[in-house]
């Protein structure tokens, strides 16, 4: 088995065995707004017309995002200007303190040289120098190679999305053909201290969340909800179905007294439609999360981790529920001791919620 190179398929980092070649001098730089066609061209070479972020195909839109500070594109180029690797950092506005790393592409001729790691390191340095607190990214958990690249950069696992990747997304780095849906690990790379804030977590998951906060160096502080907290009578829940992944993400921007029956009704409706996996996001800065989310396991909803969610305007406690999908320890690779402990907790809670 040869060295590994990091690429993406369906928005998830992957790795492929490739031969070593001499790339010569490699330059790492950032794209200007007028260079949006470079990303669009690379996306088409790598994915044809199948990439699940349509804006990447529009050179003008890529340029607008770069000019507006919503997208930072970093590339590795050969001496003749040939694009070898790309990774981007997305934000909803230039004021965002946390971004999402994605659109990672390594061309076949450049695989095996860890260019993805170097390009992502350059993005982290840029973000740190511009006052950003950190960035999130996903890595397929079908193998440890993408995860090791994140660990090498100093990133840490904050959760596992069980069953996130549909079977239609191929994994050419696995030693055997894997059937069924695969999982993804979410990583956070800290660049600067974030702001201090209270974190409201159901008692059942306080220790797990505290461990994530400690390892990632977050400035969240576990807090108790007020003893006489007044809940909204109705939960404000937004449902987003990702048809290409056959999953749904529910965001409870305002968890209310009816959270359990509301989520239960949505879950039944979606599962009856054949949705394979459902993820529920609860705002960690809202005391209602600790008050009403403690019995979600009664619905077959279990712990996933801490995730960013712009609809909730910050980090959320993510829960998950799988529709007829079986996940075991052997199905999910990890690359760190912290990841092993977190995965064990996620899988144990999955079993407990299904009991």
């Amino acid at each position: 088995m040869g060295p590994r190179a990091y690429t993406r398929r369906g928005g998830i980092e992957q790795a492929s065995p490739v031969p070593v070649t001499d790339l010569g001098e490699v330059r790492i730089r950032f794209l200007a707004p007028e260079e949006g066609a470079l990303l669009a061209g690379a996306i088409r070479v790598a994915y044809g017309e199948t990439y699940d972020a349509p804006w990447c195909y529009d050179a003008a839109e890529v340029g607008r995002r770069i000019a507006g500070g919503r997208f930072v594109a970093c590339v590795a180029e050969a001496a003749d200007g040939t694009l070898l690797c790309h990774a981007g950092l997305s934000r909803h506005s230039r004021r965002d303190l946390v971004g999402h790393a994605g659109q990672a592409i390594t061309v076949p001729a450049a695989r095996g040289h860890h260019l993805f790691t170097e390009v992502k390191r350059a993005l982290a340095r840029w973000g740190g120098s511009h006052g950003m607190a950190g960035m999130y990214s996903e890595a397929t958990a079908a193998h440890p190679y993408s995860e090791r690249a994140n660990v090498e950069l100093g990133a840490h696992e904050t959760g596992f999305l069980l069953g996130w990747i549909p079977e239609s997304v191929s994994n050419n780095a696995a030693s055997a053909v894997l059937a069924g849906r695969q999982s993804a690990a979410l990583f956070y790379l800290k660049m600067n201290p974030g702001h201090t804030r209270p974190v409201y977590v159901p008692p059942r998951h306080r220790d797990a969340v505290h461990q994530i906060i400690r390892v990632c160096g977050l400035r969240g502080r576990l807090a108790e909800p007020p003893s006489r907290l007044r809940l909204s009578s109705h939960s404000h829940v937004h449902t987003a179905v990702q048809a290409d992944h056959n999953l749904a993400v529910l965001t409870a921007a305002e968890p209310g007294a009816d959270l359990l029956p509301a989520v239960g009704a949505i879950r039944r409706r979606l599962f009856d439609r054949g949705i394979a996996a459902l993820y529920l996001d609860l705002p960690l800065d809202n005391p209602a999360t600790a008050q009403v989310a403690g019995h979600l396991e009664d619905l077959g909803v279990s712990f996933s981790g801490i995730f960013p969610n712009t609809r909730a305007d910050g980090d959320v406690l993510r829960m998950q529920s799988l529709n007829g999908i079986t996940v075991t320890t052997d199905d999910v690779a990890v690359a760190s001791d912290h990841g092993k402990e977190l995965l064990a907790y996620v899988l144990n809670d999955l079993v407990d919620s299904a009991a």
Side-chain angles (χ1 to χ4, degrees):
M1 189 69 71
R4 301 285 175 175
Y6 300 95
T7 62
R8 287 177 78 87
R9 179 71 178 260
I12 302 294
E13 295 163 5
Q14 291 194 312
S16 302
V18 292
V20 175
T21 58
D22 183 9
L23 296 179
E25 181 182 353
V26 175
R27 178 176 65 156
I28 295 178
R29 69 178 183 89
F30 295 89
L31 296 185
E34 61 271 18
E35 296 179 294
L38 288 178
L39 173 59
I43 289 287
R44 283 195 167 88
V45 169
Y47 305 106
E49 301 297 326
T50 66
Y51 195 64
D52 58 3
W55 63 270
C56 292
Y57 292 101
D58 185 340
E61 176 61 20
V62 173
R64 283 191 291 270
R65 294 188 182 210
I66 293 175
R70 292 180 294 142
F71 187 61
V72 181
C74 186
V75 299
E77 293 178 333
D80 63 358
T82 300
L83 188 146
L84 302 173
C85 180
H86 172 279
L89 177 64
S90 294
R91 301 181 292 178
H92 286 267
S93 81
R94 63 172 69 248
R95 295 185 300 274
D96 288 355
L97 294 179
V98 176
H100 178 264
Q103 291 76 51
I105 301 166
T106 301
V107 302
R111 295 174 184 170
H113 296 273
H114 304 287
L115 292 182
F116 166 72
T117 304
E118 294 306 315
V119 168
K120 191 168 181 179
R121 181 176 285 116
L123 280 175
R125 288 172 178 161
W126 182 94
S129 68
H130 285 74
M132 293 185 66
M135 62 182 175
Y136 279 94
S137 60
E138 301 96 352
T140 177
H143 53 73
Y145 311 112
S146 300
E147 296 177 78
R148 286 174 185 166
N150 282 285
V151 172
E152 180 182 343
L153 287 168
H156 300 284
E157 298 92 340
T158 68
F160 288 89
L161 292 164
L162 303 179
W164 179 263
I165 308 170
E167 189 173 6
S168 58
V169 175
S170 64
N171 172 27
N172 58 13
S175 58
V177 177
L178 298 175
R181 299 180 68 92
Q182 301 301 311
S183 302
L186 193 84
F187 282 85
Y188 180 74
L189 178 61
K190 179 180 177 179
M191 298 184 288
N192 284 303
H195 63 279
T196 302
R197 69 270 192 195
V199 175
Y200 298 98
V201 185
R204 176 184 176 90
H205 303 303
R206 283 176 65 91
D207 290 345
V209 171
H210 176 72
Q211 177 72 353
I212 294 171
I213 290 173
R214 185 190 66 79
V215 170
C216 293
L218 305 178
R219 299 184 78 176
R221 174 179 51 83
L222 292 181
E224 297 287 347
S227 57
R228 296 185 178 180
L229 178 65
R230 186 172 182 178
L231 297 172
S232 300
S233 57
H234 298 289
S235 300
H236 299 163
V237 180
H238 177 272
T239 303
V241 175
Q242 297 184 20
D244 56 341
H245 279 54
N246 194 29
L247 59 82
V249 177
L250 311 185
T251 303
E254 179 61 43
D258 67 338
L259 180 68
L260 265 66
V263 170
I266 297 172
R267 178 180 178 272
R268 286 192 299 273
R269 184 168 66 251
L270 291 174
F271 281 9
D272 286 345
R273 286 172 47 187
I275 291 293
L278 180 149
Y279 306 90
L280 170 64
D281 289 351
L282 302 156
L284 283 170
D285 62 352
N286 191 325
T289 292
Q291 187 83 358
V292 302
H295 299 291
L296 283 167
E297 64 270 15
D298 294 342
L299 299 175
V301 178
S302 63
F303 181 87
S304 176
I306 296 178
F307 288 73
N309 185 314
T310 55
R311 288 190 178 277
D313 194 25
D315 286 347
V316 296
L317 171 68
R318 173 160 287 189
M319 312 292 285
Q320 55 195 349
S321 186
L322 307 181
N323 186 11
I325 302 171
T326 300
V327 180
T328 69
T329 304
D330 294 338
D331 298 326
V332 186
V334 292
S336 73
D337 290 340
H338 166 66
K340 292 177 183 176
E341 293 177 5
L342 181 56
L343 175 61
Y345 183 85
V346 169
L347 291 176
N348 286 337
D349 199 57
L350 176 67
V351 172
D352 291 344
S353 68

